[in-house]
Amino acid sequence: NETTGELMHPRVAAQTINPSWLALDPAGRYLYAGNEVANFAGHSGSVSSFAIERKTGALRPINVVSSEGASVAHLSVDATGKFVFVANYGGGSMSVLPVRPDGGLGQAVEVRRDVGSVGAKAATDAPPGSYAISGHDAPHPHMVQPAPGNRFVLQSDLGQDRIYVYAFDAATGKLTPAPGGAFASFPSGDGPRHFAFHPQGRWLYSLQEEASTVVALQFDPQTGALHPRQTLSSLPPGFQGTNFGSEILLTHDGRFVYAANRLHDTVACFSVLPDGRLKYLGEIHTEGDYPRSMNIDPGGSRLYVCNQRSDAIACFKIDRGTGRLSFTGRFTGVGTPACIVFLRGSGNATT
């Protein structure tokens, strides 16, 4: 309901095994689900493709292919809708899958494997008393996303404390190290998980899972170079204990940044300053347990938080002037929600 923000009439649109992430093609015709499994074709994760019936939101299965690595954590689609990028957390790899004319997926045209250079188990910038030790036993790609302009593809590796930058050939799907540098490094053990681009394309904001920090980086759209400029905590001043950062995103106008905290169960709010740096505004409780991801509705007026361990999506109103969040009192019961995307112009959301 675009007036009240209520998510109504939930139903099963399709079934696939343990979908951990969802992505729509630019035209809103197809949905892709990354499946967090390790036994597809014996040793891999998988990606399922679906055709979307826009009037009803119904999904028609097209095909399922190997992700070329275990345990898909994230996927995205390039601006042309011709390629799907997949981050395989358990497999230590990132793959590029071609999109067929019918919206289905072909076998990978590119597979990149992260090797060596694993960070410390304890995060350099963790708050006092933190036991947030998760993924520094091996390389773990956690997110992959094309930059605005579709010339570069960025991929975070939580285990290596790096964000890789690749030049992208939109005709073939091939990747090569960016001329501005193959990767940006983060403090050992901090664990870059997810990142979000400013709409202008010159700033990138990265959320570290184990350090619970937000790093603002300047991005060169000509060379792909990344330069860290600021580090802030996603937690309130004086916090002590364990927390795991999860999702980060910007409002559609690029004025505010939101970062989700698991265990602390809050969303931290920041305003974007004229030079791209951030100012901490405070936080709000997620009205649930373990916010794994969140998203903003197409109109830009509401934030929806997937509280994974309390089986509900909570709805918050966004103050367009201040960026502050307020709980609307609306919940939607969904079993272990992990991701939510909105199909623009259809009135449908998929989790």
Side-chain angles (χ1 to χ4, degrees), residues 125-167:
D125 294 325
S130 174
Y131 286 86
I133 298 172
S134 57
H136 285 84
D137 57 328
H140 289 300
H142 215 309
M143 177 177 177
V144 57
Q145 183 86 32
N150 216 43
R151 292 181 57 193
F152 297 99
V153 172
L154 282 73
Q155 174 230 312
S156 62
D157 191 301
L158 183 146
Q160 291 186 319
D161 301 308
R162 292 175 175 176
I163 292 181
Y164 288 91
V165 187
Y166 296 100

Side-chain angles (χ1 to χ4, degrees), residues 267-303:
V267 175
C269 308
F270 303 86
S271 61
V272 180
L273 301 176
D275 65 357
R277 290 174 172 81
L278 301 178
K279 178 183 178 182
Y280 177 70
L281 299 177
E283 75 282 331
I284 189 170
H285 191 262
T286 63
E287 302 296 331
D289 186 8
Y290 219 66
R292 177 161 176 173
S293 73
M294 56 189 178
N295 212 338
I296 296 173
D297 74 320
S301 60
R302 295 178 182 87
L303 177 76

Side-chain angles (χ1 to χ4, degrees), residues 10 18-19 306-313 332-339 351:
N18 199 21
C306 294
N307 288 308
Q308 187 177 25
R309 292 182 180 173
S310 50
D311 299 325
I313 299 169
T332 304
V334 178
T336 59
C339 180
T351 60

Side-chain angles (χ1 to χ4, degrees), residues 123 136 157-159 161 186-193 207-211:
H136 285 84
D157 191 301
L158 183 146
D161 301 308
F186 291 74
S188 185
D190 282 9
R193 176 184 170 95
L207 178 63
Q208 283 54 254
E209 179 171 307
E210 294 171 60

Side-chain angles (χ1 to χ4, degrees), residues 9 34 61 63 72-73 108 119 124 147 149 157 164 224 247 254 258 293 301:
H9 313 305
N63 73 336
V72 175
T124 299
D157 191 301
Y164 288 91
E247 184 64 285
Y258 301 117
S293 73
S301 60

Side-chain angles (χ1 to χ4, degrees), residues 15 55 63 73 100 184 202 284-285 319:
Q15 291 186 325
K55 289 185 178 180
N63 73 336
R100 305 184 320 200
R202 293 186 176 275
I284 189 170
H285 191 262
D319 186 311

